[in-house]
């Protein structure tokens, strides 16, 4: 497919699953999150509870908000538009009616229009990266997107798969864990945060990029933009319209709270310590 | 967050006043909810973490004011054509409440700029004056202030002794203004001076003066009990000369301008008081869950529960009064009585709630490690400025008596 040098279309995919950080300090559950995100978690004042039937966590009445990494993805897309490197930013989210609020937040930040892929009820409970990736891939083809930016992972399930699967389904290159991205003609330079440090890659467009924490600092919506967001369109689409089957290939056997922290044991000498470790089968 | 969700579902009073029906009190319009959430997020992330330090250092939050300007919050009601956000007064009250919940000083800085400085110019200014005195003050780069009170009169605003004499094509102002919020950080002020003392309050006029300006100097920064990040001082006018075109409104209109401005301004202060009260309640409820005594979290004790209930009730009642007054104003209906009620209720709620918050926290409420002591200090001024609680009562009583006029 002929690709013009100007990127026409950036789709920014949002995850709007709830913040379900099990009430524990964030460092233990989501080691990659830093102060800013932890601040968001603790301020929600909600204790996450496992449902009595142990199929998941209680989400009724829990305030849902845009996944922090997706906020960063939206911000990056809007920055590209402000630099006039892209023509249009489309914000997409999959889920029940409430996700429209999150799409509106993206519109208030500066996205041009939204697409709400309606998935509700049982389908929503079992919605996972594979189905979402199929939806995104189908939409990308339909919308003729040139660039997809998503958060690197959702902070509720921490899957870190959607970006990668979407790229594979589309057979597009991917730049994951991006802490910097630059459009150079029709190539994308992405600096990735990897275990060993920073890796810089150059990928062709169209491509998928997943946003990491240091990519940017998302803006606060301005009041005039919040007002403009009201007039922007959010289209409604069903997975079936895109030819996607949202049936899950995974069955959740059970969901448990993390084990209660046990008290430690104090030992007198190093020998005692080694002895105890051997007993516990750790050495 | 769950508690806040419930708090928003207030009882709707089925009285239709203009476009905004009071049943909307039950659920804010989506636009307002989004705007409120944005301000809440900003306050939680950017203001709350620095509020204690700003208070300690008596430091003006210049960076945050600029950011709020960029968001449109420094000029909520100003039309977009002049650089503002073009939203209504209800939106403004929501913004001030949420910001004050993070930092009360920032709340009053926003409120004074919006209601007391931009407000009268928007209402009474000429097109030229609006361009010159409004647009540069919408971005957060500059803030304005409002100079009505004097060392000799606060509540007795009609007894202004600051003089304005015409000399050729200039007004010459002389006198001293007291208790001026923002003045050390402001770039302009609305000053009230008398052009004809014999006419008493009908002889007062309003003037626009840039800052700094020859003949205008500032007194020492007051060392206040609370809202310490906002500056308060005297403005001293000695042979301060301004062009004739700097008069705001007509000659002799000053008192009317001041009173009408304060009618709206007191809703901003009501909103600030609500924010302080809410922050104090947040602090107490959180502590009630965590602090254990007599073998259980203190939230299980009825003594604490009754306090929390009374605190929440006071806040919610005042909030509804504030929203109602704002909606009446937006519908261009008379709102003086309701605004006075709102400010009275909210400021008394703030002092009550912050007092009880310290009680709930016990010893921890008395030390700077917890924000309760700052809320207590910040709350106190809300019963005084922009119309003391006593004046509010007089305003309400006058309106009631008028309604029942024989």
């Amino acid at each position: 497919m002929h690709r013009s040098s100007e990127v026409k279309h950036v789709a920014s995919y949002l995850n709007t699953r709830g913040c379900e950080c099990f009430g524990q300090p964030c460092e233990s559950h989501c080691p990659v999150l830093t102060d800013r995100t932890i601040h968001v978690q603790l301020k929600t004042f909600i204790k996450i509870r496992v449902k009595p039937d142990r199929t998941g966590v209680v989400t009724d009445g829990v305030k849902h908000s845009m996944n922090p990494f997706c906020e960063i993805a939206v911000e990056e897309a809007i920055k590209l538009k402000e630099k006039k490197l892209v023509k249009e930013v489309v914000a997409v989210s999959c889920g029940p009616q409430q996700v429209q609020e999150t799409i509106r937040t993206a519109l208030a930040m500066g996205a041009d229009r939204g697409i709400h892929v309606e998935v509700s009820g049982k389908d929503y409970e079992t919605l996972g990266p594979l189905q979402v990736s199929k939806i995104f891939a189908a939409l990308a083809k339909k919308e003729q997107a040139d660039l997809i930016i998503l958060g690197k992972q959702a902070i509720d399930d921490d899957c870190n798969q959607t970006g990668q699967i979407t790229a594979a389904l589309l057979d597009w290159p991917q730049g994951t864990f991006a802490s910097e991205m630059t459009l150079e003609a029709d190539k994308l330079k992405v600096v990735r945060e990897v275990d060993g440090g920073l890796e810089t890659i150059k990928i062709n467009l169209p491509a998928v990029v997943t946003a990491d924490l240091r990519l940017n600092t998302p803006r606060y919506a301005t009041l005039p933009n919040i007002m403009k967001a009201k007039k922007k369109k959010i289209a409604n689409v069903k997975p079936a319209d895109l030819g996607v089957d949202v049936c899950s290939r995974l069955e959740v056997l059970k969901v448990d709270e993390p084990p209660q922290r046990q008290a430690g044991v104090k030992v007198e000498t190093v020998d005692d310590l080694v002895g105890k470790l051997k007993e516990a089968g750790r050495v | 967050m769950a508690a806040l969700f419930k708090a928003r579902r207030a009882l709707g009073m089925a009285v239709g006043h203009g476009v905004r029906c009071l049943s909307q009190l039950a659920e804010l319009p989506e636009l307002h909810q989004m705007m409120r959430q944005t301000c809440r997020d900003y306050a939680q992330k950017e203001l709350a973490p620095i509020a204690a330090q700003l208070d300690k250092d008596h430091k003006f939050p210049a960076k945050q004011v600029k950011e709020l300007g960029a968001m449109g919050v420094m000029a909520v009601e100003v039309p977009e054509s002049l650089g503002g956000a073009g939203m209504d007064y209800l939106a403004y009250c929501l913004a001030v409440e949420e910001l004050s919940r993070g930092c009360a000083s920032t709340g009053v800085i926003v409120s004074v700029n919006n209601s007391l400085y931009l407000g009268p110019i928007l209402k009474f200014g000429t097109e030229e004056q609006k361009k010159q005195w409004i647009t540069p003050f919408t971005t957060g780069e500059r803030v304005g202030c409002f100079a009505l009170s004097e060392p000799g009169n606060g509540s007795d605003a009609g007894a202004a002794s600051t003089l304005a004499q015409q000399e050729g094509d200039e007004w010459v102002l002389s006198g001293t203004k007291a208790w001026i919020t923002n003045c050390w950080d402001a770039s302009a002020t609305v000053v009230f001076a008398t052009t004809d003392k014999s006419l008493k309050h009908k002889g007062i006029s309003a003037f626009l003066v840039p800052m700094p300006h020859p003949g205008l100097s500032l007194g020492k920064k007051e060392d206040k009990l609370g809202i310490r990040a906002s500056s308060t001082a005297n403005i001293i006018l000695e042979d301060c000369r301004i062009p004739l075109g700097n008069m705001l409104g007509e000659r002799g209109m000053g008192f009317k301008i001041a009173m009408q401005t304060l009618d709206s301004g007191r809703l901003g202060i009501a909103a600030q008081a609500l924010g302080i009260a809410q922050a104090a309640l947040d602090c107490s409820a959180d502590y009630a869950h965590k602090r254990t005594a007599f073998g259980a979290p203190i939230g299980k004790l009825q003594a604490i529960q009754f306090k929390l209930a009374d605190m929440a009730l006071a806040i919610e009642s005042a909030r509804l009064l504030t929203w109602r007054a704002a909606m009446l104003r937006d519908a261009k209906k008379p709102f003086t009585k309701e605004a006075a009620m709102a400010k009275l209720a909210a400021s008394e709620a703030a002092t009550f709630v912050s007092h009880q918050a310290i009680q709930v926290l016990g010893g921890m409420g008395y030390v700077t490690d917890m924000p309760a002591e700052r809320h207590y200090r910040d709350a106190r001024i809300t019963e005084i400025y922009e119309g003391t609680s006593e004046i509010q009562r007089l305003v309400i009583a006058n309106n009631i008596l008028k309604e029942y006029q024989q």
Side-chain angles (χ1 to χ4, degrees), chain B residues 25-244:
Chain B
L25 283 172
E27 188 74 29
L28 288 168
E30 196 196 332
L31 196 65
H32 292 74
Q33 285 187 38
M34 281 184 73
M35 191 246 146
R36 194 186 197 197
Q37 190 59 49
T38 302
C39 292
R40 184 173 295 175
D41 289 341
Y42 185 84
Q44 279 182 1
K45 288 177 201 161
E46 311 286 343
L47 295 178
I50 60 169
Q53 197 60 45
L54 287 175
D55 171 77
K56 229 186 228 157
D57 298 338
H58 298 230
K59 184 167 171 246
F60 181 79
K63 172 170 175 275
Q64 285 71 25
V65 168
K66 284 204 190 94
E67 287 170 357
L68 289 169
M71 282 164 70
V73 171
M74 293 306 287
V76 179
E77 239 199 341
V78 172
E80 282 193 72
S81 56
L82 287 168
M87 290 186 83
D88 60 19
Y89 217 66
L90 178 61
Y92 161 67
C93 290
L94 293 167
V96 173
E97 183 186 336
E98 293 302 329
L99 295 175
S100 301
R101 193 174 171 192
C103 172
S105 304
T106 309
V108 77
I109 292 166
V110 171
S111 176
V112 165
N113 197 57
N114 269 282
S115 295
L116 298 188
Y117 175 73
L118 295 173
I121 306 175
L122 204 56
K123 197 160 181 198
F124 298 98
T126 62
E127 288 313 308
E128 256 319 297
Q129 284 175 331
K130 286 182 194 173
K131 277 201 206 95
Q132 188 188 349
W133 300 91
I134 290 187
T135 309
F137 292 79
T138 58
T139 60
E141 297 282 329
R142 289 164 200 252
V143 296
C145 61
F146 180 83
L148 175 65
S149 291
E150 296 174 357
N153 52 269
S155 293
D156 190 8
S161 63
T162 304
L163 288 172
Q165 288 160 312
Q166 188 170 352
E167 277 181 24
D169 57 354
E170 285 180 324
W171 287 108
V172 185
L173 306 174
S174 56
T176 311
K177 292 298 189 183
W179 310 120
I180 312 307
T181 305
N182 277 356
C183 75
W184 270 89
D185 309 288
S187 302
T189 177
V190 177
V191 179
F192 295 85
T194 180
T195 36
D196 194 337
K197 259 217 137 147
S198 64
L199 293 176
K200 301 228 176 105
H201 66 270
K202 291 209 172 110
I204 299 175
S205 308
F207 300 90
L208 298 163
V209 186
M211 290 163 77
H213 194 72
L216 188 151
S217 57
L218 302 174
K220 72 161 177 48
K221 259 196 222 181
E222 301 291 351
D223 186 8
K224 306 191 294 286
L225 176 66
I227 54 160
R228 301 215 277 218
S230 88
S231 56
T232 306
N234 287 2
I235 289 181
I236 302 140
L237 300 157
E238 288 172 301
D239 194 42
C240 178
R241 291 168 183 272
I242 49 172
L244 288 182

Side-chain angles (χ1 to χ4, degrees), chain A residues 1-249:
Chain A
M1 204 183 335
H2 170 72
R3 191 76 44 214
S4 70
S5 57
E6 187 188 50
V7 177
K8 292 222 165 42
H9 225 96
V10 175
S12 200
Y13 294 110
L14 313 172
N15 190 303
T16 56
R17 301 293 290 277
C19 156
E20 297 166 345
C21 232
F22 285 104
Q24 306 276 21
C26 271
E27 293 103 304
S28 61
H29 183 68
C30 322
V32 282
L33 299 177
T34 66
D35 288 346
R36 190 175 165 272
T37 321
I38 291 172
H39 206 63
V40 171
Q41 317 301 31
L42 295 178
K43 287 296 178 187
T44 57
F45 291 137
I46 291 189
K47 177 124 177 58
I48 303 304
R49 295 191 312 274
V50 176
K51 283 199 277 204
D53 60 5
R54 293 160 91 205
T55 55
V57 295
V58 175
T59 54
D60 281 340
V62 174
K63 180 142 173 53
H64 287 53
S65 56
M66 197 189 299
N67 184 41
F69 294 112
C70 297
E71 256 180 11
I72 296 173
V74 173
E75 173 66 24
E76 197 62 23
I78 293 166
K79 273 192 152 120
L80 287 172
K81 182 166 160 228
E82 284 173 343
K83 289 187 196 147
K84 301 212 200 304
L85 295 169
V86 304
K87 270 224 175 99
E88 193 188 25
V89 175
V90 184
V92 181
S93 193
C94 308
Q97 194 60 23
Q98 296 96 289
V99 309
Q100 293 217 4
E101 258 182 61
T102 307
I103 300 177
R104 284 236 181 267
T105 309
L107 295 176
M109 284 170 74
D112 298 294
R113 60 184 167 93
I115 301 177
H116 170 208
V117 181
E118 215 178 312
V119 181
S120 37
K122 260 270 151 239
D123 283 338
Y124 183 60
E125 282 176 32
T126 56
L127 191 68
L130 179 61
Q131 303 99 300
V132 172
S133 302
K134 287 184 188 170
I135 292 171
F136 287 174
L139 266 175
K141 287 200 193 114
K142 182 162 175 255
E143 296 281 334
Q144 298 198 296
D146 300 294
L147 178 60
I148 300 177
I149 315 181
L150 322 82
K152 69 172 180 183
Q153 66 197 57
I155 59 173
D156 52 12
D157 56 19
D158 278 339
C159 284
N160 184 358
Q161 297 169 3
T162 307
Q164 292 86 334
I165 301 177
T166 308
L169 289 172
L170 288 166
D171 198 23
W172 286 7
Q174 54 182 270
T176 52
F177 312 106
S179 65
E180 215 184 291
M181 57 181 263
T182 337
L183 259 177
E184 293 171 357
D186 59 350
K187 286 208 202 298
L188 198 56
K189 187 176 96 171
V190 181
V191 178
R192 309 177 55 231
E193 291 198 4
V194 295
D195 285 346
L198 297 173
E199 180 194 55
T200 308
I201 58 171
K202 247 196 193 143
I203 52 178
N204 292 330
L205 288 173
V208 174
V209 172
T210 70
D212 207 329
L213 192 66
R214 278 159 280 273
L215 183 59
N216 61 49
T217 307
R219 66 193 62 192
Y220 292 96
T222 66
L223 269 47
N225 278 344
I226 292 175
M227 290 213 295
K228 287 191 190 120
K230 258 212 123 173
K231 302 193 189 111
K232 293 179 183 171
K233 284 197 172 49
I234 300 180
N236 255 317
V237 173
K238 290 204 171 49
D241 300 339
L242 301 167
V244 173
D245 158 28
V246 287
C247 177
S248 177
R249 288 357 182 218

Side-chain angles (χ1 to χ4, degrees), chain B residues 311-392:
Chain B
M311 288 155 85
L313 175 62
I315 297 174
E316 198 56 38
S317 316
R319 186 176 284 138
L320 288 180
L321 276 169
T322 308
W323 288 4
R324 176 155 179 251
M327 286 192 230
L328 286 170
R329 187 187 182 282
D330 287 334
K332 305 214 192 316
K333 303 276 170 154
F335 68 101
T336 304
K337 179 183 77 169
E338 288 78 5
M341 287 175 150
K343 200 260 184 185
L344 180 59
S347 52
E348 292 193 341
T351 47
F352 167 71
V353 172
S354 55
H355 180 109
Q356 291 302 322
I358 295 189
Q359 202 63 18
V360 170
L361 265 60
M364 282 310 290
Y366 206 64
V367 294
T368 53
D369 303 56
M370 294 292 268
E373 60 82 28
R374 191 182 78 243
H375 300 322
Y376 184 75
R377 290 186 288 107
D378 286 339
R380 195 61 190 84
I381 189 63
T382 61
E383 284 197 53
I384 298 171
Y385 62 11
E386 288 196 46
T388 58
S389 297
E390 290 69 30
I391 292 293
Q392 304 307 334

